[in-house]
Amino acid sequence: MGETIKLTSPADGFEFSAYHEPSFTPRKGGVIVIQEIFGIDQYVRADVERWAKAGYEAIAPALFDRRQHDFVAKHDQEGIAAGIAHARATPMEQALADIAACRDFLKPRGKVCVVGYCYGGSLAWIAAAQLDGIAAASSYYGSLVKANAQLEPKCPTIIHLGRTDPGIPADEVEAAVKQHNPDVPVYIYEGAGHGFNNESPERYSAEAADLARQRTRQLFERAA
């Protein structure tokens, strides 16, 4: 069973919440699950549990705690607006510091990998380039990846994009990444839109999600 724990940011000393679950099977490593704009909702918790069942100690930091503790939003216009407001008001350095606190929590027990979705997909890409001690990173449909394509990941990193995502032009993101990082795999999933890993009925694409998860597990298992 997962539980909410408290971690302290190395940047400002703020104590934030994180949803944590130990591995169900012999431990392969640790995974930091970075949230979408909707907070630590049922879908993030389900992803943490999925990683725990795959043999990873998993943790999802609540990155909006300084603005609204226990923030969770619905996938409607009001929820989207609230989540975007929180994301835009959260400094990148602050979010990376919270991710670093999760890394430091997991690191004594083995390798630490990062996976992020939407807002978290952008953070996973940037964390791979700017944080030490990350073994591998998997970025899903991050809107800031194109603008930060010049960053050079310090660890093996892959990117997942939905072909029909209306807000993230997959081909343009791939071209930008390949220009600066030709060895970074960019996977584009035909027929899948934004949020295809999220099992909410309006966004989930089972075929794309299964394949992306398989690729991410393989990446993490190969990581040192």
Side-chain angles (χ1 to χ4, degrees):
M1 291 291 292
E3 62 175 350
T4 298
I5 63 174
K6 296 289 186 178
L7 296 177
T8 301
S9 167
D12 59 6
F14 181 81
E15 189 177 70
F16 62 92
S17 299
Y19 186 71
H20 170 255
E21 192 151 2
S23 60
F24 282 42
T25 59
R27 192 182 189 278
K28 298 177 181 177
V31 172
I32 303 170
V33 177
I34 311 180
Q35 65 179 68
E36 298 179 307
I37 60 171
F38 304 104
I40 308 301
D41 61 9
Q42 68 189 84
Y43 303 109
V44 174
R45 291 171 182 254
D47 208 69
V48 168
E49 182 179 358
R50 188 159 37 243
W51 282 107
K53 287 179 177 178
Y56 292 89
E57 181 182 2
I59 189 166
L63 297 176
F64 300 157
D65 258 10
R66 291 170 184 78
R67 289 178 50 81
Q68 183 177 340
H69 187 66
D70 290 336
F71 170 77
V72 174
K74 295 181 179 179
H75 296 183
D76 55 20
Q77 290 304 312
E78 183 179 351
I80 292 170
I84 289 174
H86 284 326
R88 288 177 174 171
T90 300
M92 183 62 65
E93 295 77 11
Q94 178 181 293
L96 289 174
D98 290 355
I99 295 168
C102 294
R103 174 204 60 196
D104 295 345
F105 172 77
L106 294 169
K107 192 70 173 176
R109 294 178 293 285
K111 67 181 177 184
V112 180
C113 302
V114 173
V115 62
Y117 311 94
C118 181
Y119 172 61
S122 296
L123 289 173
W125 172 255
I126 296 170
Q130 297 190 357
L131 293 182
D132 294 323
I134 303 297
S138 182
S139 166
Y140 284 71
Y141 32 80
S143 63
L144 299 180
V145 171
K146 180 183 175 183
N148 291 277
Q150 79 285 355
L151 296 178
E152 184 175 345
K154 299 180 180 182
C155 62
T157 301
I158 59 177
I159 295 171
H160 311 279
L161 303 167
R163 171 66 71 192
T164 63
D165 189 330
I168 301 175
D171 289 331
E172 293 180 18
V173 176
E174 181 182 29
V177 171
K178 290 299 183 181
Q179 179 183 353
H180 299 282
N181 294 281
D183 294 331
V184 171
V186 179
Y187 299 109
I188 300 175
Y189 298 83
E190 302 297 333
H194 189 75
F196 65 76
N197 183 76
N198 188 300
E199 294 184 356
S200 56
E202 66 273 16
R203 297 199 291 162
Y204 183 52
S205 173
E207 183 178 359
D210 288 348
L211 181 54
R213 290 170 188 169
Q214 178 185 341
R215 287 168 167 162
T216 301
R217 286 194 301 270
Q218 290 172 346
L219 176 74
F220 290 178
E221 287 171 6
R222 291 194 303 264

